[in-house]
Amino acid sequence: ILELTPTATSAPANECHLFQNKSFEDGLAHWQKFGDAQLVTESYTGVYALSAQNGWAQQVITMSKDADLTLSGYYKSDASSAGIIQVGIDYLNENGSELGESSIKLEKSETFTSFNLIGQTVTGTESIRLWFYAEAQTAVIFDDFSLKSTVCPSEGPPVSTSTPTITPVSEPDPPIPLETPMVTPTVEI
């Protein structure tokens, strides 16, 4: 007989989901918004997404190790607008001062389009600030962010999966038959 016992194991380092509320399904929890950034129901997946026009939003994540990072997500915008759309990662020291930045400008897109920003922490990085921005002339909707890292922060919650472990269990001994006396029925005539 084999017994299956689920065991928690760490996910591979490059699969760490470091964002909290990455698709805005918990409203604006864990996000700071500035200017004209608001929750909307036009989303890539789920119910909610975040819209910005002359505004931006950010989330700060503890990241105290050297790491290669990939920030990805989905966005859509008004293709006829003239303003800039950007996403970025700021590398912050222990006091929250910026040490460096990785950012990209996004092309206008009337349908939800994916983006990827690749960055690398700089020496002295203690946390990272993930942000997106839209100028006044551009309305944009962001949704379903993901941050993958080659090093997961030790301060963050562990990401685990359940993997079955097969543990052999010894077969119980067969029951020992009891000797029962044979009873012969008595019949009277």
Side-chain angles (χ1 to χ4, degrees):
I1 294 178
L2 296 176
E3 183 178 288
L4 295 177
T5 307
T7 305
T9 58
S10 293
N14 64 351
E15 291 296 321
C16 293
H17 300 285
L18 303 173
F19 260 111
Q20 293 187 43
N21 192 23
K22 65 183 183 168
S23 61
F24 305 101
E25 296 309 306
D26 293 326
L28 294 173
H30 306 286
W31 288 94
Q32 291 179 298
K33 71 176 193 81
F34 304 90
D36 187 15
Q38 61 190 355
L39 212 56
V40 295
T41 56
E42 183 179 355
S43 62
Y44 180 69
T45 63
V47 177
Y48 299 108
L50 195 69
S51 173
Q53 182 173 1
N54 194 30
W56 59 288
Q58 70 178 24
Q59 187 173 135
V60 177
I61 297 172
T62 301
M63 173 69 66
S64 59
K65 297 184 172 109
D66 292 335
D68 294 324
L69 305 169
T70 302
L71 172 62
S72 59
Y74 293 87
Y75 75 99
K76 78 182 254 185
S77 65
D78 178 0
S80 63
S81 61
I84 293 173
I85 305 168
Q86 271 186 293
V87 296
I89 305 171
D90 294 338
Y91 308 103
L92 310 175
N93 68 12
E94 63 186 19
N95 299 320
S97 297
E98 187 175 323
L99 300 169
E101 173 186 280
S102 298
S103 66
I104 56 173
K105 291 181 182 176
L106 301 174
E107 297 295 321
K108 310 299 186 294
S109 174
E110 291 183 337
T111 60
F112 276 103
T113 303
S114 65
F115 68 85
N116 287 300
L117 169 62
I118 296 171
Q120 184 175 27
T121 58
V122 297
T123 302
T125 298
E126 291 293 323
S127 60
I128 56 176
R129 178 174 44 225
L130 310 165
W131 55 268
F132 59 87
Y133 167 77
E135 285 186 336
Q137 301 87 356
T138 304
V140 64
I141 298 172
F142 290 96
D143 202 8
D144 288 349
F145 285 100
S146 174
L147 180 69
K148 293 184 181 180
S149 169
T150 54
V151 179
C152 296
S154 60
E155 300 82 10
V159 176
S160 64
T161 57
S162 182
T163 304
T165 301
I166 299 175
T167 308
V169 177
S170 60
E171 182 73 36
D173 294 329
I176 301 173
L178 296 175
E179 289 194 39
T180 53
M182 185 141 192
V183 177
T184 310
T186 309
V187 180
E188 290 185 29
I189 306 188

